[in-house]
Amino acid sequence: MDKKKKRSITRGIILVVLLAAIVYTVYSSATKEEVEVLQVGDVAPDFELVDLYDSNLKHRLSDYEGKGIFLNFWGTWCEPCKKEMPAMSNQYAIYKEQGVEVLAVNIAQTEFEVKSFIEGLGVHFPVAIDETKDVMTTYNVTLLPATILINPEGKVEKIITGEMNETQIASYMESIKPEQE
């Protein structure tokens, strides 16, 4: 009889804890603020991330004012990301001198994983890790790869989800290139 009573009390406690968790989840979902969805034409939100190879170098979107920005979100596990990176690197070599910057933002992986991946592909553009996923959240990125094209005025020109080929990448970089004076 004593075991049954203990078991009943334990079950009751577990039931109360589960019920409290359900109530909390429903309450927090109902009162959660709506996240602003980033849209074409919006001013791109500023952020700051540390460079993969130089911890003293910070990448702030605001530092690229007047340039076209090819903001690419990716992960090492993402096969389409792996396929498009060499093409991004090739086009960056062409468009960098024309005022287009690439910033590849890894989604919260370790520095070792990211460096190994980048060095294995031999790509040459700035890379940063979004350790807290704050930038990913700010830009409403849910699927990888995702690329946000930002024009020289700092506005979102286009949002691309999924793999791009080299022709598309060249066309997108051309579309955000600053006007030559």
Side-chain angles (χ1 to χ4, degrees), residues 91-104:
Q91 293 307 311
Y92 179 57
I94 295 166
Y95 282 93
K96 181 180 182 180
E97 297 303 316
Q98 299 178 47
V100 175
E101 286 294 329
V102 169
L103 181 57

Side-chain angles (χ1 to χ4, degrees), residues 91-161:
Q91 293 307 311
Y92 179 57
I94 295 166
Y95 282 93
K96 181 180 182 180
E97 297 303 316
Q98 299 178 47
V100 175
E101 286 294 329
V102 169
L103 181 57
V105 179
N106 174 269
I107 305 303
Q109 291 186 268
T110 67
E111 190 176 309
F112 176 78
E113 286 176 294
V114 176
K115 278 184 178 176
S116 298
F117 182 84
I118 292 296
E119 288 165 6
L121 290 176
V123 296
H124 304 286
F125 43 70
V127 177
I129 300 173
D130 184 8
E131 294 175 357
T132 59
K133 296 186 179 180
D134 287 345
V135 179
M136 179 183 117
T137 302
T138 300
Y139 279 82
N140 307 112
V141 172
T142 54
L143 300 171
L144 298 179
T147 302
I148 314 296
L149 301 179
I150 302 167
N151 67 28
E153 291 76 44
K155 293 190 175 179
V156 175
E157 191 79 19
K158 189 166 182 68
I159 300 169
I160 304 140
T161 303

Side-chain angles (χ1 to χ4, degrees), residues 2-174:
D2 206 17
K3 273 187 173 180
K4 278 188 174 182
K5 194 172 186 179
K6 283 183 181 178
R7 195 178 307 136
S8 292
I9 291 171
T10 304
R11 285 181 178 159
I13 291 170
I14 290 171
L15 188 61
V16 168
V17 168
L18 285 173
L19 189 58
I22 290 169
V23 168
Y24 173 77
T25 303
V26 169
Y27 173 77
S28 66
S29 293
T31 60
K32 188 169 76 174
E33 286 183 30
E34 283 290 312
V35 174
E36 286 280 322
V37 176
L38 191 69
Q39 296 177 4
V40 170
D42 289 352
V43 172
D46 201 9
F47 60 84
E48 180 179 290
L49 293 172
V50 176
D51 187 80
L52 179 63
Y53 291 99
D54 181 355
S55 60
N56 294 319
L57 177 60
K58 309 265 190 281
H59 295 285
R60 286 178 205 84
L61 194 64
S62 53
D63 290 345
Y64 297 110
E65 192 175 319
K67 294 185 174 196
I69 304 158
F70 194 89
L71 183 61
N72 180 260
F73 293 88
W74 63 281
T76 62
W77 68 89
C78 165
E79 278 303 312
C81 301
K82 187 175 184 176
K83 288 180 188 172
E84 72 183 11
M85 283 210 161
M88 283 170 43
S89 188
N90 292 342
Q91 293 307 311
Y92 179 57
I94 295 166
Y95 282 93
K96 181 180 182 180
E97 297 303 316
Q98 299 178 47
V100 175
E101 286 294 329
V102 169
L103 181 57
V105 179
N106 174 269
I107 305 303
Q109 291 186 268
T110 67
E111 190 176 309
F112 176 78
E113 286 176 294
V114 176
K115 278 184 178 176
S116 298
F117 182 84
I118 292 296
E119 288 165 6
L121 290 176
V123 296
H124 304 286
F125 43 70
V127 177
I129 300 173
D130 184 8
E131 294 175 357
T132 59
K133 296 186 179 180
D134 287 345
V135 179
M136 179 183 117
T137 302
T138 300
Y139 279 82
N140 307 112
V141 172
T142 54
L143 300 171
L144 298 179
T147 302
I148 314 296
L149 301 179
I150 302 167
N151 67 28
E153 291 76 44
K155 293 190 175 179
V156 175
E157 191 79 19
K158 189 166 182 68
I159 300 169
I160 304 140
T161 303
E163 183 182 344
M164 300 171 287
N165 63 38
E166 192 151 353
T167 304
Q168 291 170 315
I169 292 168
S171 172
Y172 292 143
M173 287 189 182
E174 184 68 34

